[in-house]
């Protein structure tokens, strides 16, 4: 496989590249990940089964949209394809460390500018993509309450029921979500979509985000998720508020938006997330 990847990278780069070093690195729970090198050139490689290619294609499309904004730093896609029956995504290799206060503050400002960027009249995305490995439906809607209730909460609940997990009557919960968001019609912002602390880091050149699941939606979904799974430094929120203060009512919507990610973690990992999600649904009084 590595020889074939060397050939493909040589073609993509327009210069000779031969994998001389490959080092396994922690890439989370989904992909095999490596740092590879040829001389001074280094890249980050994600590998998964052949049928995972759509997940990598969707990630590359999200990265392209973020790059078009020029508001946040992201890794560049070098190669995407099938090699030896494996899906392969090659990105820049960029040394990273956890967000410190300075970079968190800068990222907050950059994210606010991303959310201000662009003009889109509807909520959605040109393609369906993935949140982790779970399909994320993105067909366009004019009303935010309908988009979030149907494509985020409702779709996740349906998938959960198909896998034997029930959190209550799907239609009842979806209608309660629509009612909770009724009248909230925010600017459609390009959102990262999966913004937890594991998808943002400090680099030598400032903050960087990666592993996006982009769509056009309420900017608050990104901010809400930063409170999950360990949270972001306080400086991040100061930077964001300096550029574009959050709307009144965010605290009331935060848990509702994070229900989406809790449901997805039930689908991906099960276990303790089941009880946490049930408790959150009860707290939100959706049933």
């Amino acid at each position: 496989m590595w020889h074939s990847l060397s050939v493909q990278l040589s073609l993509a780069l327009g210069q000779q590249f031969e994998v001389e070093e490959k080092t396994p690195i922690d890439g989370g729970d989904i992909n095999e990940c490596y740092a590879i090198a040829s001389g001074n050139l280094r890249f980050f490689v994600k590998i998964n089964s052949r049928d995972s290619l759509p997940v990598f294609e969707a990630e590359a499309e999200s990265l392209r949209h973020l790059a078009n904004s020029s508001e946040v730093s992201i890794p560049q896609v070098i190669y995407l394809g099938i090699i030896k029956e494996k899906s392969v995504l090659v990105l820049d290799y960029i040394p990273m460390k956890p967000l410190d206060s300075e970079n968190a503050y800068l990222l907050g400002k950059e994210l606010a500018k991303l959310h201000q960027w662009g003009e889109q009249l509807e909520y959605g995305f040109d393609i369906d993509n993935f949140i982790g490995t779970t399909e994320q439906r993105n067909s366009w809607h004019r009303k935010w309450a309908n988009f979030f209730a149907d494509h985020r909460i409702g779709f996740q609940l349906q998938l959960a029921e198909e896998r034997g997990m029930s959190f209550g009557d799907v239609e009842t919960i979806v209608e309660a979500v629509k009612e909770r968001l009724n009248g909230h019609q925010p600017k459609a912002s390009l959102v990262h979509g999966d913004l937890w602390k594991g998808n943002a880091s400090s680099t030598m050149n400032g903050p960087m985000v990666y592993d996006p699941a982009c769509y056009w939606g309420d900017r608050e979904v990104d901010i809400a998720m930063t409170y999950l799974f360990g949270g972001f430094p306080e400086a991040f929120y100061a930077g964001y508020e300096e550029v574009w203060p959050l709307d009144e009512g965010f605290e009331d919507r935060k848990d509702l938006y994070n229900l989406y990610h809790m449901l997805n973690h039930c689908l991906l990992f099960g276990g303790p997330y089941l009880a946490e999600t049930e408790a959150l649904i009860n707290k939100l009084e959706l049933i």
Side-chain angles (χ1 to χ4, degrees):
M1 160 159 181
W2 297 107
H3 173 71
S4 297
L5 179 58
S6 296
V7 171
Q8 294 301 322
L9 287 176
S10 297
L11 292 172
L13 296 167
Q15 67 180 84
Q16 184 65 28
F17 184 96
E18 187 69 37
V19 176
E20 298 168 348
E21 301 175 32
K22 60 179 186 295
T23 306
I25 59 178
D26 180 17
D29 302 294
I30 297 173
N31 305 300
E32 286 182 62
C33 296
Y34 296 86
I36 62 172
S38 176
N40 293 325
L41 290 175
R42 294 177 66 82
F43 298 114
F44 175 70
V45 183
K46 292 185 178 184
I47 302 172
N48 212 311
S49 60
R50 183 185 183 94
D51 58 10
S52 293
L53 183 63
V55 178
F56 288 163
E57 290 174 333
E59 179 179 342
E61 181 68 4
S62 286
L63 288 169
R64 184 179 70 82
H65 275 72
L66 293 176
N68 286 345
S69 78
S70 300
E71 300 295 354
V72 293
S73 295
I74 49 105
Q76 179 184 355
V77 176
I78 307 299
Y79 173 80
L80 170 64
I82 299 290
I83 296 178
K84 300 292 185 180
E85 297 303 310
K86 294 286 188 178
S87 301
V88 178
L89 176 63
V90 181
L91 306 168
D92 291 329
Y93 179 83
I94 301 166
M96 298 177 181
K97 60 182 181 179
L99 277 177
D100 53 35
S101 292
E102 179 181 359
N103 281 294
Y105 173 75
L106 291 173
L107 179 59
K109 295 179 70 172
E110 291 174 359
L111 186 71
K113 292 175 182 176
L114 170 69
H115 289 163
Q116 290 176 328
W117 174 81
E119 295 295 332
Q120 176 55 249
L121 298 178
E122 298 187 1
Y123 307 101
F125 206 51
D126 287 336
I127 62 169
D128 291 338
N129 50 21
F130 298 85
I131 183 76
T133 55
T134 307
E135 185 180 353
Q136 184 168 256
R137 294 284 175 87
N138 291 320
S139 59
W140 296 97
H141 275 261
R142 288 191 174 274
K143 191 172 182 181
W144 170 246
N146 291 349
F147 177 87
F148 186 78
D150 292 334
H151 287 339
R152 293 299 177 261
I153 302 304
F155 185 61
Q156 289 272 341
L157 289 171
Q158 290 167 11
L159 291 177
E161 287 207 338
E162 290 172 8
R163 301 181 193 183
M165 295 177 278
S166 178
F167 297 97
D169 181 71
V170 173
E171 186 174 339
T172 298
I173 295 173
V174 168
E175 288 306 311
V177 172
K178 288 180 182 179
E179 183 177 347
R180 191 71 55 86
L181 293 174
N182 186 37
H184 182 59
Q185 189 73 357
K187 167 185 162 57
S189 295
L190 181 64
V191 299
H192 178 284
D194 196 8
L195 194 60
W196 68 291
K197 73 173 186 178
N199 287 343
S201 295
S202 298
T203 76
M204 291 180 61
N205 297 314
M208 174 169 284
V209 295
Y210 36 90
D211 291 347
C214 289
Y215 60 98
W216 293 87
D218 184 358
R219 63 185 177 128
E220 293 177 356
V221 299
D222 274 348
I223 305 302
M225 193 181 186
T226 64
Y227 287 91
L228 288 178
F229 314 129
F232 274 41
E234 284 301 317
F236 167 82
Y237 306 101
Y240 192 95
E241 289 278 335
E242 184 175 312
V243 175
W244 192 11
L246 291 169
D247 296 329
E248 184 178 351
F250 166 69
E251 288 297 327
D252 294 329
R253 293 183 289 270
K254 181 173 70 174
D255 285 344
L256 184 64
Y257 288 160
N258 282 340
L259 175 59
Y260 175 56
H261 298 292
M262 294 302 296
L263 285 167
N264 188 49
H265 272 61
C266 289
L267 294 174
L268 294 175
F269 308 117
Y273 293 107
L274 296 170
E276 288 185 41
T277 302
E278 287 180 352
L280 182 54
I281 290 172
N282 289 329
K283 175 185 175 182
L284 290 166
E285 298 180 342
L286 299 178
I287 52 177

